[in-house]
Each structure stands twice: as structure tokens, then as C-alpha cells.
Amino acid sequence: MLSVVEVHNHATAKEFLQFPFSLYQGDPNWIAPLRQDLEKVFNPSKNKFFNHGECARWLLYEENKIIGRIAAFINHDTANSEEQPTGGCGFFECTDNQHAANLLFDTAKHWLIARGMGAMDGPVNFGERNAWWGLLVEGFTPATYQMNYNPPYYKALFEAYGFKDYFQQYSYSIGVNAVRPERYKAVIERLKTNSEYSFNHLEKRKTKKYASDFRSVYNRTWKFLPHFKEMSEEQVLSIFKSMRPVMFNYLCWFGYRKQEPVAMFIMLPELNGWFKYLNGNLNTWGMLKFLWFKYFDRSNRKIFGIVFGVVPEHQRKGVEAAIVMAADEVVRGKNRWDEIELTWVGDFNARMVKTCEALGGKIVKRHITYRKLFDEKKEFTRHPVVE
């Protein structure tokens, strides 16, 4: 006998967070997400998306045993900008049971229909696209920080229910010590002699300056995206403050044309390389363990590229290659890292896909963001291509 129970109190919220520990027991590739990160998603006082959205969560029981969970959300700022009003579902976990999965998907679907939605994307996050977005379908290795990891059978559960591939997400890996294309070496030498462009890394003592430069590049680079919202000064300063404990100056790069910020390439140590020892809890003891591993452990040799962007007016001028090569020269000299994994690139972003491949990037993980149209007679279309 299967029954669905909405998360409505502390006890069910705790069970929602704890269920994956039993589901993934024995899977050496699963790294428990930090409880504190997940709690923020569902906390109206900490997640700004509650200012213009709503969400709900459910647990699926078989008798007295939990066998699945799901969440559904609506971002009212963007839901009605689609051809049909579109919500989302995410944080899906389930045993290999199509009937159970269908019951979870139906629960999310009916909640969304009751609020006027005509489709749902999934698995997605009640937040920005950089966290917990997309279903892993290729590259079942330990997840990078705040990237989804799931069993291979989830793909069949989603597609049998009627979800279709809305867009694919590629995670590229670049060897720190791999040979770089000669043409890119030539590009950086040319730009070095061009006094208009300069490249330098972060200095933490000038956090406000670099936060301002980040905001300038970010807001101009991604304004073409559907539903884009500019980042405020307060948002950027908050991000820099939260990242400060794990930032290395020489991993965060900015490009300038005559002192105007036009590019950025922001990397961090791959945090799951240390968080995997915390069992999903960054409490006081977890923080002490994290700091020990950060300063004394050298087994974590992966960098994660979280942001890479060049403002449109300076694209196709070699700036993309130049900022990567400028960073590359310094990072190689540290003899500390072996691999850079770039944050996911959508298959709809042909320009970035081409850049990653030209730099020698190899796809090491592939996620899919699915869409389910509630009106099955309606024609399905994939995410529009960005030129």
C-alpha cells in the first residue's frame, strides 16, 4: 500500500533530508549534500525565491517505510513567460519502481495544475540554475558540489512518465597540465602586446572592487538569457562573503579593457573533495574537519570553474582564450591541481560549447533538464538555441 504524505513539520522535513542516506547506502560515488544547503532551499527566510514563488514537498511511503520523495515549485516571476505556464519539480529520489515514481510525479503535477501551470521542468531547483539542476545520465562518478547525482535507472523513470529532453547540460574537464592548442598560445601573446587588455587575479583585500567588477561582467554577459535578472550589489557581496573561506586569489581571474571589466573566470577548489568527509553536515565539528582537510589534505586535486564569461562586445576577439591562458600559466606553476571541471554548459549555447571544446575540454558528465507538458496534444519544443 503506497501513500503520499506532505512535508508539514520538523519530523517529516528531517525524513525528507535523511531518505537519500538509506537509498544510496553502499554507493561509493554518492556524496551527501550538505544539510545546511538543502535546508536553505526550503526556508522562506533564507531563499529569496519565496518572495515571488511557492513550493511543497512530499514523502512516499510503502507501509511504514519511505521509498521516495519529491518537491514542486513555482517561480511566479518566470512561470508565465513560457508558451505555457511552467513550474518545476526536483529533489526527486525513488526506488527502482515506475509505479512509485509515477505517483510522485503525479503529486507534483496535480499541485502545479491546481495553481494554473501547464507544464513542469525537472529535476530542477527552487533557486538558480547553478545548483541541483538536471538529471545525471552520463558520468556516474562523484558529483561536484551542488550538482545532482542519481542512479542510472532514474532516466527510465522520467522518460516512461512522459518527460522529454528540454536541454542537455555538459560538464567539461580540462587537464591542468595538458598541452594547450598552439593557436591559443598565439592569441594570448598577441593580447599581451595589446595595451588595451590586461588580466589579473583576485586580491581578497580588495573584495568590494572585485565584487563590483564581477557584477558588471555578469549583468552584461548573461542579459540575453530568457528570464534574466540583474544581480544587485548586495547579492554579489553576499556571494563573495560566502565564498571567501574557500577562495584562492590565483583561481579567480578578471579581464579588463582600459580598466573596464570585460571578462571573468572564477574557479574554486572542488568542495566535495573535502565535504565528502562530513557526512552531509557542516556543523561546528564538520567545519573543523573541513578546515583541517582544506589546509592539510592534498588528495583533492580538482578545481571547479563556477563562472566563465566575456561581455558580448569583447567576444570573438580572443579574450576568452586569453583569460583562460593567463590563469593557466599561474595555476600550472602552483603544482597543486590536476584537473579543472567547468560548470555545466547548455547544449543550446553553441558558442560556449565550441569554446570549451577548442580549449581541449572533454565531456565527463551529462545531465538532462526534462519538460513534461500536461496537455499531451500540444507540440513539444526544445530550449531555443542561443546565438
Side-chain angles (χ1 to χ4, degrees):
M1 180 70 177
L2 300 180
S3 59
V4 177
V5 175
E6 185 168 358
V7 172
H8 63 283
N9 57 24
H10 177 75
T12 49
K14 183 178 180 180
E15 289 179 323
F16 187 90
L17 295 178
Q18 286 297 120
F19 171 60
F21 285 85
S22 61
L23 184 68
Y24 290 96
Q25 188 174 16
D27 185 340
N29 290 316
W30 183 69
I31 297 173
L34 293 182
R35 186 187 75 190
Q36 290 79 4
D37 286 343
L38 295 175
E39 287 175 338
K40 286 179 184 178
V41 174
F42 301 103
N43 187 335
S45 66
K46 294 184 178 181
N47 185 350
K48 65 180 182 178
F49 279 75
F50 278 98
N51 296 333
H52 46 81
E54 55 186 310
C55 79
R57 291 180 282 171
W58 299 271
L59 293 165
L60 178 64
Y61 290 83
E62 184 174 42
E63 303 302 336
N64 295 318
K65 181 181 179 182
I66 298 173
I67 64 168
R69 74 175 195 185
I70 199 168
F73 355 89
I74 301 172
N75 178 352
H76 292 295
D77 274 1
T78 61
N80 292 296
S81 59
E82 300 281 357
E83 187 175 344
Q84 67 288 311
T86 302
C89 68
F91 301 95
F92 170 88
E93 302 285 4
C94 189
T95 57
D96 191 2
N97 180 328
Q98 189 67 55
H99 177 61
N102 289 351
L103 187 53
L104 287 167
F105 292 140
D106 278 343
T107 300
K109 170 185 172 181
H110 294 147
W111 184 86
L112 291 168
I113 289 174
R115 287 155 181 78
M117 298 296 103
M120 66 178 171
D121 291 345
V124 299
N125 178 29
F126 190 44
E128 304 292 351
R129 282 185 173 185
N130 64 316
W132 297 302
W133 206 280
L135 188 79
L136 182 66
V137 297
E138 181 181 316
F140 293 91
T141 58
T144 49
Y145 179 57
Q146 292 191 345
M147 291 285 284
N148 278 336
Y149 175 86
N150 52 261
Y153 66 80
Y154 277 21
K155 184 175 187 289
L157 296 182
F158 271 77
E159 294 181 358
Y161 184 73
F163 280 98
K164 294 184 178 180
D165 178 344
Y166 185 50
F167 62 83
Q168 299 200 9
Q169 305 157 230
Y170 304 144
S171 294
Y172 287 92
S173 174
I174 301 175
V176 169
N177 296 305
V179 177
R180 302 291 181 247
E182 287 297 326
R183 66 190 183 97
Y184 280 105
K185 294 178 183 178
V187 166
I188 193 169
E189 289 302 321
R190 173 171 57 81
L191 287 185
K192 276 182 178 179
T193 62
N194 181 344
S195 60
E196 290 188 348
Y197 288 98
S198 61
F199 304 92
N200 57 266
H201 62 65
L202 172 79
E203 297 176 64
K204 286 186 181 178
R205 61 188 176 87
K206 298 180 181 179
T207 295
K208 285 190 176 181
K209 168 200 163 23
Y210 287 106
S212 176
D213 293 347
F214 179 100
R215 177 172 176 253
S216 174
V217 175
Y218 181 90
N219 287 344
R220 287 183 291 157
T221 300
W222 284 282
K223 62 184 179 181
F224 69 88
L225 288 174
H227 324 311
F228 175 78
K229 279 198 165 186
E230 290 193 353
M231 295 186 74
S232 67
E233 182 180 353
E234 294 75 17
Q235 282 178 284
V236 177
L237 283 172
S238 175
I239 290 171
F240 269 60
K241 182 180 178 181
S242 67
M243 292 196 308
R244 188 179 177 86
V246 294
M247 291 174 102
F248 287 58
N249 284 349
Y250 67 87
L251 294 180
C252 303
W253 284 79
F254 294 84
Y256 301 88
R257 179 182 180 274
K258 295 181 177 179
Q259 309 306 313
E260 174 197 3
V262 298
M264 60 184 175
F265 182 27
I266 309 298
M267 299 175 283
L268 296 175
E270 208 303 277
L271 299 179
N272 269 359
W274 295 318
F275 288 162
K276 65 184 179 182
Y277 301 110
L278 308 187
N279 202 32
N281 198 349
L282 193 61
N283 54 12
T284 302
W285 175 238
M287 178 59 76
L288 290 173
K289 289 175 68 176
F290 163 71
L291 291 173
W292 190 94
F293 280 105
K294 175 188 172 184
Y295 289 110
F296 299 107
D297 174 55
R298 289 295 180 266
S299 64
N300 180 14
R301 300 186 62 83
K302 182 190 288 189
I303 306 167
F304 186 49
I306 60 171
V307 182
F308 177 46
V310 178
V311 299
E313 308 93 272
H314 297 274
Q315 293 173 4
R316 297 190 176 93
K317 296 182 178 181
V319 176
E320 295 94 336
I323 193 170
V324 170
M325 296 297 283
D328 192 61
E329 189 174 1
V330 174
V331 173
R332 281 175 185 255
K334 298 295 181 180
N335 195 30
R336 171 67 180 83
W337 314 100
D338 294 332
E339 178 187 3
I340 303 171
E341 186 173 312
L342 302 178
T343 188
W344 65 261
V345 176
D347 65 353
F348 53 83
N349 191 344
R351 184 183 303 161
M352 277 303 302
V353 167
K354 184 177 180 180
T355 297
C356 291
E357 292 176 350
L359 286 167
K362 305 295 183 184
I363 295 175
V364 290
K365 290 186 178 71
R366 187 166 58 92
H367 290 74
I368 296 177
T369 294
Y370 288 99
R371 174 165 289 181
K372 165 71 175 176
L373 301 179
F374 300 154
D375 180 357
E376 296 183 358
K377 296 179 182 178
K378 189 175 180 63
E379 182 181 359
F380 177 85
T381 56
R382 297 189 81 242
H383 190 292
V385 173
V386 176
E387 299 295 341

